[in-house]
Amino acid sequence: MIPEKFDYVRPSSLAEAVQALADGGDDAKVIAGGQSLLPLLRLRLAYPSLLVDLGGLDGLRGVHDAGDALVIGAMTTMYSLIRDPLVREHCGLIAEAAGTVADPAVRHRATIGGSLAHADPAGDLPAVICALDARLVATGPGGEREIAPADYFVDYLTTALAPDEILTAIRVPKLGPGWGFRYEKFQPTVQAWAIVGVAALARRADGHVAEARVGLTNMATVPVRAHAAEAAAAGAQASREALAAAAANADEGSDPANDLRASADYRRHLARVLTGRALARAAGVR
Ligand SMILES: Cc1cc2nc3c(=O)[nH]c(=O)nc-3n(C[C@H](O)[C@H](O)[C@H](O)COP(=O)(O)OP(=O)(O)OC[C@H]3O[C@@H](n4cnc5c(N)ncnc54)[C@H](O)[C@@H]3O)c2cc1C
């Protein structure tokens, strides 16, 4: 189908983009890689009056070292995240998860900012950002603010971004020594969306897991932190059996959908199994 008519601007500075979005009112929308928005336009499920294209904002692309954190520009593509040496060194979980998104053609266009702004419950990066305790940086007419993931993801396809705000960056604390990571994704076919995904981080010390963090993909309308599994894993022996036991309540606090792809019970089962597996890999258990 052909999209509804819309106006289009391609600003060359962030200030211009924020102004254009504010001037466009509630019917204006940002476009980044277009991999989610263009299908919605073509199906006429979205019909903005104005599209503000962020493609000319080179300042929103790339990864910068900010001391104890990395600052990832919202327009950085999945393809770049997979290969970026800073990302691979300090928060490799992002590179690993980005590598599971769709296919190479989509990954060349899709951006981390687009993924986090679209907030699809089956999207892979939201749970990763939650597990990494990252902060989302938004810029609007009133200036810049940082938002914690728990406040940012509000509901299905809904975030705390105001209509006149642009997600400009993601600030990710660097993982220190001893941390390992793993993204486990259960998908019906290779390159498909997750039925359930698990983003796990574990800090290993003296053969035990000293600290663990787990984010769940597609286990509610928003990404979920598996706090019960995190607490059970802390202090557990770094073994497959002990971490599978720690994952026994990984689905606590989730509210998975019952749909044509999987029942809620099956998703709960997957969350427990994949959490045990992901924690074991993150803790270096072979
Ligand atoms: C065939 C296919 C398979 C896919 N498989 C997966 C998958 O397995 N896993 C996965 O996670 N994703 C998957 N995706 C989704 C893809 O990763 C998303 O399209 C992408 O993450 C959205 O990024 P984008 O840059 O294309 O955003 P766009 O499509 O340009 O925008 C998406 C939404 O976010 C808003 N937006 C974008 N950037 C900003 C910003 N900086 N500030 C404020 N609002 C913004 C837009 O207004 C729009 O509402 C798939 C997509 C396709 C087409």
Side-chain angles (χ1 to χ4, degrees):
M1 204 152 31
I2 297 180
E4 275 281 3
K5 271 191 171 174
F6 54 82
D7 291 327
Y8 172 86
V9 289
R10 187 175 161 98
S12 50
S13 73
L14 179 58
E16 274 177 45
V18 167
Q19 190 61 53
L21 202 53
D23 291 347
D26 285 356
D27 288 337
K29 253 195 168 318
V30 155
I31 183 159
Q35 296 303 293
S36 291
L37 187 52
L38 287 177
L40 292 178
L41 295 180
R42 295 185 69 119
L43 291 167
R44 297 203 176 191
L45 292 172
Y47 29 86
S49 55
L50 170 70
L51 279 189
V52 180
D53 186 349
L54 301 184
L57 305 186
D58 290 340
L60 298 193
R61 263 191 209 100
V63 181
H64 307 284
D65 195 328
D68 57 358
L70 295 185
V71 177
I72 303 178
M75 287 296 287
T76 309
T77 62
M78 303 291 171
Y79 176 86
S80 304
L81 290 172
I82 295 165
R83 284 156 186 80
D84 189 275
L86 286 171
V87 171
R88 294 178 75 94
E89 182 180 352
H90 299 294
C91 38
L93 181 60
I94 292 180
E96 187 169 83
T100 73
V101 169
D103 51 57
V106 172
R107 293 197 290 265
H108 270 278
R109 300 287 315 168
T111 64
I112 184 169
S115 172
L116 298 173
H118 192 55
D120 192 312
D124 296 293
L125 290 191
V128 166
I129 291 307
C130 288
L132 285 164
D133 275 339
R135 292 289 179 271
L136 298 110
V137 184
T139 304
E144 191 178 285
R145 65 179 178 129
E146 283 195 13
I147 315 169
D151 300 323
Y152 176 85
F153 294 103
V154 174
D155 202 346
Y156 183 74
L157 303 182
T158 308
T159 70
L161 286 176
D164 58 1
E165 275 184 318
I166 293 175
L167 180 64
T168 44
I170 300 90
R171 175 178 284 273
V172 189
K174 288 179 182 171
L175 291 172
W179 282 97
F181 59 84
R182 177 69 179 171
Y183 188 67
E184 286 283 339
K185 177 169 174 174
F186 188 86
Q187 49 199 158
T189 56
V190 73
Q191 301 185 341
W193 292 84
I195 288 183
V196 171
V198 175
L201 294 161
R203 185 167 63 79
R204 183 174 169 147
D206 301 327
H208 286 75
V209 170
E211 228 180 311
R213 292 194 236 136
V214 179
L216 305 178
T217 298
N218 218 7
M219 285 297 290
T221 56
V222 293
V224 174
R225 273 289 284 269
H227 291 298
E230 293 176 359
Q237 202 187 354
S239 72
R240 208 176 294 281
E241 297 72 22
L243 292 170
N249 294 322
D251 57 318
E252 198 178 295
S254 68
D255 185 16
N258 246 322
D259 58 30
L260 287 176
R261 300 178 74 213
S263 69
D265 280 349
Y266 183 51
R267 285 196 163 95
R268 287 183 181 281
H269 168 76
L270 283 175
R272 295 190 289 265
V273 171
L274 296 179
T275 298
R277 230 179 252 175
L279 280 170
R281 287 292 294 271
V285 179
R286 293 286 155 222

